[in-house]
């Protein structure tokens, strides 16, 4: 019996301070933040138990532990020698204005080794493992080397655990070397990584096949306000949902990943996973809190998500009965 539905590798959470306007007066909010935190928050909202594996250090780390545990997350933390990052954002005028940002200190070799062991131990007792990256402003090798992700993904797969990765850049390339169950990536990240030459469906579908061939069983591509694309079992699907009024689009992709992970961790199929993930992301954009939502609303929105098969993908046989290229699939995307 798994002790947690999801073991979450979120190496360096950050402390966030956001200034809002409340009846003409400043309203200050203090929260834990970063990609992994937002994913954990939505996983808990959806009823999944989460063990977060991370490094906590300095004054910010002390505060972060309390904030995370108060949200219902089990924290398995390595005590670091540096500090966790923090930022101050002013949102009183409706847009996020960066007041100050302090990045996390890079992990030492000893801290990374300890975090690796903590994560592997938690993963052995979990239904699935979610690999997330450090904060957005950390460059590829600043905090956690890409090779650590490669080794971790390889070991997790070796012990038979489903691995979901929400990564880009060198870290995405590293986990693909080891093989993962599912990858979620945005069309913008595919462009920035040079995996897609353009953001049209033709280029994106070609890139999805390449990501699959490099090591991802399922590939999910978000496209801002356009329908999601899913490649699973050799077939490309388009995922449609209503467009709700957005209060803040930050964290929507992380909520999507959380919904997908929660379903796969419990043995659900990939279509059920993408429906729940799409609904969680859809609700998140209507709220100012990142990775937040109401589970009842998510479940109702899930019924409005449609998944349509675009056609049979490329076949890897000498004489397939029907061969549909990524270009053919792109044309069907435009027509649907």
């Amino acid at each position: 019996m798994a002790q947690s539905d999801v073991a979450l590798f979120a190496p360096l959470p950050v402390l966030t301070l956001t200034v809002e306007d409340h009846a003409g007066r400043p309203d200050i909010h203090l929260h834990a933040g970063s990609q992994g935190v937002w994913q954990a928050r939505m996983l808990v909202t959806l009823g999944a138990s989460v063990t977060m594996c991370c490094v906590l250090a300095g004054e910010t780390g002390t505060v972060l532990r309390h904030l995370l545990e108060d949200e219902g997350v089990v924290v398995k933390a390595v005590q670091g020698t540096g500090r966790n990052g923090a930022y101050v954002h002013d949102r009183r005028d409706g847009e996020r204005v960066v007041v100050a940002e302090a990045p996390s200190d890079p992990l030492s070799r000893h801290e990374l080794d300890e975090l690796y062991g903590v994560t592997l131990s938690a993963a052995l007792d979990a239904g699935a493992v979610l690999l997330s990256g450090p904060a957005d402003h950390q460059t590829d090798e600043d905090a956690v080397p890409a090779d650590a992700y490669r080794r971790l993904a390889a070991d997790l797969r070796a012990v038979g655990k489903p691995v979901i990765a929400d990564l880009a850049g060198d870290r995405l390339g590293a986990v693909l070397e080891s093989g993962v169950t599912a990858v979620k990536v945005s069309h913008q990240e595919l462009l920035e990584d040079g995996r897609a030459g353009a953001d049209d469906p033709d280029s994106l579908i070609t890139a999805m096949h390449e990501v699959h061939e490099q090591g991802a069983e399922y590939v999910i591509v978000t496209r801002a306000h356009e329908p999601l694309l899913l490649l699973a079992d050799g077939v490309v699907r388009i995922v449609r949902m209503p467009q709700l009024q957005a209060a803040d689009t930050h964290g929507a992709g992380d909520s999507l990943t959380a919904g997908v992970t929660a379903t796969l961790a419990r043995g659900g199929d990939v279509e059920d996973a993408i429906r729940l993930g799409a609904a969680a992301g859809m609700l998140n954009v209507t709220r100012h809190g990142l990775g937040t939502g109401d589970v009842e609303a998510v479940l109702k929105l899930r019924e409005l998500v449609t998944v349509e098969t675009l056609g049979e993908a490329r076949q890897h046989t000498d004489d397939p009965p029907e061969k549909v290229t990524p270009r053919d699939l792109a044309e069907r995307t435009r027509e649907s």
Side-chain angles (χ1 to χ4, degrees):
M1 174 74 76
Q3 292 185 7
S4 286
D5 293 316
V6 179
L8 173 57
F9 182 72
L12 288 167
V14 300
L15 185 63
T16 76
L17 190 152
T18 306
V19 186
E20 303 275 8
D21 177 78
H22 181 69
R25 301 175 61 184
D27 187 18
I28 299 174
H29 299 266
L30 192 67
H31 294 290
S34 80
Q35 180 188 56
V37 171
W38 300 324
Q39 292 163 342
R41 189 172 291 145
M42 181 54 74
L43 281 163
V44 171
T45 296
L46 297 174
S49 54
V50 183
T51 297
M52 177 184 287
C53 304
C54 59
V55 173
L56 298 177
E59 296 175 347
T60 46
T62 300
V63 176
L64 281 166
R65 179 185 288 275
H66 291 289
L67 292 172
L68 289 166
E69 291 177 343
D70 285 348
E71 293 197 48
V73 177
V74 176
V75 179
K76 297 292 186 183
V78 172
Q79 184 61 48
T81 57
R83 66 176 182 181
N84 288 81
Y87 65 69
V88 180
H89 287 180
D90 190 335
R91 204 164 54 184
R92 282 175 288 181
D93 291 331
E95 299 292 332
R96 287 181 179 271
V97 177
V98 177
V99 177
E101 288 186 341
S104 301
D105 290 329
L107 299 184
S108 68
R109 181 185 59 79
H110 177 70
E111 291 166 347
L112 187 57
D113 284 347
E114 279 199 64
L115 178 59
Y116 197 99
V118 165
T119 304
L120 191 58
S121 176
L124 292 172
D125 293 324
V129 186
L130 174 54
L131 303 180
S132 68
D136 290 342
H137 56 275
Q138 299 279 16
T139 59
D140 273 345
E141 295 295 323
D142 271 351
V144 185
D147 190 62
Y149 284 88
R150 180 194 61 78
R151 293 188 296 111
L152 188 55
D155 287 345
L156 293 171
R157 294 291 276 175
V159 297
K161 292 297 175 179
V163 178
I164 297 90
D166 192 343
L167 301 166
D170 292 341
R171 294 187 179 104
L172 173 57
V175 297
L176 289 176
E177 287 184 36
S178 300
V180 292
T181 306
V183 161
K184 193 278 286 181
V185 64
S186 73
H187 78 284
Q188 189 62 41
E189 289 167 336
L190 290 176
L191 290 170
E192 292 173 356
D193 291 351
R195 294 181 179 275
D199 62 0
D200 60 276
D202 190 339
S203 299
L204 296 177
I205 290 171
T206 299
M208 292 171 72
H209 279 280
E210 291 174 353
V211 171
H212 166 67
E213 290 164 2
Q214 289 167 7
E217 184 177 353
Y218 307 133
V219 184
I220 301 163
V221 174
T222 60
R223 299 191 291 161
H225 300 297
E226 297 296 321
L228 307 172
L229 294 175
L230 166 68
L231 173 61
D233 303 319
V235 177
V236 176
R237 298 165 174 86
I238 188 165
V239 183
R240 301 183 185 278
M241 67 203 87
Q243 292 295 317
L244 305 183
Q245 293 296 303
D248 190 344
T249 59
H250 291 82
D254 299 317
S255 292
L256 164 68
T257 303
V260 169
T261 303
T263 305
L264 295 179
R266 294 166 174 170
D269 65 36
V270 70
E271 285 205 15
D272 287 340
I274 198 67
R275 285 191 177 94
L276 184 64
M282 190 187 343
L283 182 63
N284 187 87
V285 302
T286 69
R287 305 168 62 92
H288 287 296
L290 305 185
T292 62
D294 174 77
V295 64
E296 185 177 349
V298 172
L299 295 178
K300 289 179 179 178
L301 288 171
R302 180 178 60 180
E303 302 306 310
L304 303 178
V305 177
T306 62
V307 181
E308 304 168 6
T309 300
L310 296 181
E312 190 177 25
R314 289 181 297 183
Q315 302 293 315
H316 297 285
T317 59
D318 293 333
D319 188 22
E322 180 185 6
K323 186 172 183 179
V324 183
T325 68
R327 183 176 296 277
D328 295 328
L329 295 174
E331 290 300 325
R332 297 183 190 186
T333 305
R334 297 189 185 96
E335 294 168 0
S336 60

